[in-house]
Amino acid sequence: MMRSAIAVAMMAVVGMSSAEARQLGGINKGLSIAKKANDVRDLSMTDAEEQALGKNVSDKIRARYGVVQDANAHKYVSLVGLALAQSSTRPALPWTFIVLDTDGVNAFAAPGGYIHVTKGALALAKNESELACLLAHEITHVTAKHTIRALQKTKAVQMGASETLSGSSALMEKAVNAVYQNIVDKGFGREDENESDEVGAALANKIGYAPNGLVTFLTSLKERNKSKTEKSGLFASHPQMQERLDRINKQIATQKLAAKATLQPRYAKNITFTLVDIDALTAVAAGSAGLTGGGEAKKEEPKKEEPKKEEPKKGRFGMPKSLTGSGGEQKQASTTASGGARGGVPDEKDAKGGPNPALVAVKLSPADVAAFKKEGGLS
Ligand SMILES: [Zn+2]
């Protein structure tokens, strides 16, 4: 469309007067801008399209992992999340907080304000400030539009000149798949993780939470994965996690982030999930979750696996992606399936999910959030 419009405009300026010639400069300038925009054609979208994309991605994440059908857990996580989101740079997004039905420790931020946290992550967190710092980290992935920018940078999804995300279901499907893969399988780049750590810690601190919650949470996660990492020796040659913890601690010191609330009793009252050992997690091949019942039959005997020497990949929370050293995406699926048969998973994200993808409706007014903050001494 745009190209032919340009061609017509070019023909129209042939045989021009001097006044027209002066105009040509302007036209050419306009054309070059149009051409530039035309050449780029990276994935672009309005806020409404971003939210529609995020909702579709959330549908896919919920189909994979299922949703814990527990209204109180959802209400509590939503109150913590909304308290933070209100003080973020995009308070007006329709923020939605979802508890996924898997024992793998994970959190996924989809565009437009859809934040997913697993019951495994909730079981691992020790208090409300750890949850708050984890949610603040994920909220920042959304407010900084990390997913959208990553897609634009890699040119994973390109648009036709006159195409829009809301106007093309084929394009939407392509974008949803790319975003899902980015969020669940690939993870964010190091810079984006650092930005989310930094902005997230400051955000949690701003409303009164102890800002080192992510540090203590990640330390627990590191400890949880210890047997595997020591066996494969990934942490020995992979100091990223410790660097990351040091970086956050340094930020807390230099920026004098001194908020104190941890609110452990309130957390313990609302969150009662049981942590399942990483070697006892049952794996499923990607996409097959939700067909079988969740929850039961996950305590299989862990089997030892020979560590293979492969490049560590960055995974969720910047953990080495594949602790038992499986290869690329294709290989990963079969490793996952066989890993399930043996008990134990290549990665937290490969853990089995629950059967019900339905959202648990939470209705909270600004007054509810205000009362929750007041009760916790938050601001
Ligand atoms: Zn992250």
Side-chain angles (χ1 to χ4, degrees):
M1 284 295 268
M2 198 163 283
R3 279 184 202 282
S4 56
I6 291 167
V8 170
M10 292 298 268
M11 283 191 283
V13 295
V14 175
M16 59 205 157
S17 68
S18 62
E20 286 165 340
R22 274 197 302 278
Q23 268 200 325
L24 180 57
I27 290 167
N28 268 343
K29 202 176 166 194
L31 287 177
S32 75
I33 290 166
K35 178 127 186 3
K36 202 173 167 193
N38 194 38
D39 283 345
V40 176
R41 292 320 297 167
D42 290 337
L43 185 66
S44 69
M45 63 191 78
T46 63
D47 279 3
E49 287 170 333
E50 183 195 354
Q51 284 155 32
L53 173 63
K55 194 207 163 288
N56 290 336
V57 171
S58 177
D59 285 348
K60 214 168 152 68
I61 292 174
R62 288 184 283 107
R64 165 64 182 85
Y65 293 105
V67 176
V68 176
Q69 299 297 309
D70 177 336
N72 187 62
H74 273 88
K75 186 181 170 192
Y76 176 69
V77 171
S78 299
L79 282 165
V80 176
L82 288 172
L84 293 159
Q86 279 181 350
S87 292
S88 78
T89 53
R90 300 179 79 188
L93 285 181
W95 293 96
T96 309
F97 297 87
I98 299 154
V99 181
L100 295 175
D101 193 7
T102 174
D103 292 312
V105 176
N106 241 321
F108 305 110
Y114 293 84
I115 307 292
H116 311 74
V117 59
T118 67
K119 66 176 179 182
L122 295 175
L124 184 70
K126 289 189 289 290
N127 56 47
E128 194 172 301
S129 69
E130 289 195 3
L131 170 61
C133 288
L134 176 59
L135 293 179
H137 173 101
E138 298 299 329
I139 284 170
T140 305
H141 281 314
V142 175
T143 56
K145 300 193 179 182
H146 287 157
T147 303
I148 312 296
R149 293 209 174 116
L151 284 192
Q152 287 167 337
K153 213 163 120 187
T154 59
K155 304 195 182 296
V157 181
Q158 301 266 291
M159 300 170 76
S162 59
E163 230 175 359
T164 62
L165 202 55
S166 53
S168 164
S169 56
L171 181 66
M172 176 61 91
E173 195 187 337
K174 208 172 160 189
V176 168
N177 289 331
V179 169
Y180 177 87
Q181 205 186 24
N182 250 22
I183 293 172
V184 177
D185 294 325
K186 292 183 185 159
F188 294 96
R190 186 70 186 278
E191 265 179 44
D192 289 349
E193 290 299 349
N194 286 344
E195 184 181 12
S196 275
D197 283 351
E198 187 173 340
V199 175
L203 174 59
N205 181 81
K206 185 172 153 190
I207 68 165
Y209 286 113
N212 69 333
L214 193 62
V215 173
T216 53
F217 178 82
L218 289 175
T219 303
S220 302
L221 184 60
K222 193 176 158 187
E223 187 62 27
R224 168 181 165 81
N225 285 270
K226 203 178 175 186
S227 60
K228 292 199 171 194
T229 56
E230 278 185 354
K231 207 160 56 182
S232 60
L234 286 181
F235 271 116
S237 61
H238 210 253
Q240 280 194 1
M241 177 62 90
Q242 193 54 50
E243 270 178 31
R244 189 174 169 193
L245 299 179
D246 292 346
R247 181 189 290 263
I248 304 171
N249 281 328
K250 195 176 159 196
Q251 177 204 354
I252 290 169
T254 24
Q255 297 181 3
K256 298 186 169 58
L257 305 182
K260 290 278 182 273
T262 54
L263 303 174
Q264 191 276 330
R266 182 158 81 174
Y267 190 77
K269 201 176 107 190
N270 286 284
I271 298 297
T272 54
F273 299 116
T274 309
L275 188 64
V276 176
D277 190 273
I278 188 158
D279 289 321
L281 293 176
T282 301
V284 291
S288 69
L291 300 173
T292 53
E296 316 305 321
K298 57 198 169 200
K299 302 251 172 190
E300 289 177 40
E301 273 304 301
K303 266 238 175 105
K304 288 193 175 164
E305 230 177 81
E306 278 305 308
K308 293 163 206 158
K309 278 184 188 140
E310 293 218 16
E311 278 295 300
K313 286 185 177 179
K314 221 164 38 271
R316 304 309 309 152
F317 310 117
M319 294 285 287
K321 187 179 179 78
S322 174
L323 296 170
T324 52
S326 68
E329 299 302 325
Q330 292 306 314
K331 209 175 152 193
Q332 180 115 1
S334 59
T335 309
T336 300
S338 62
R342 289 193 303 271
V345 293
D347 186 276
E348 302 269 10
K349 77 175 174 60
D350 300 313
K352 185 177 174 176
N356 191 343
L359 279 171
V360 174
V362 176
K363 274 195 181 161
L364 291 169
S365 67
D368 293 328
V369 179
F372 181 80
K373 282 164 65 174
K374 194 178 174 195
E375 182 196 72
L378 303 168
S379 51

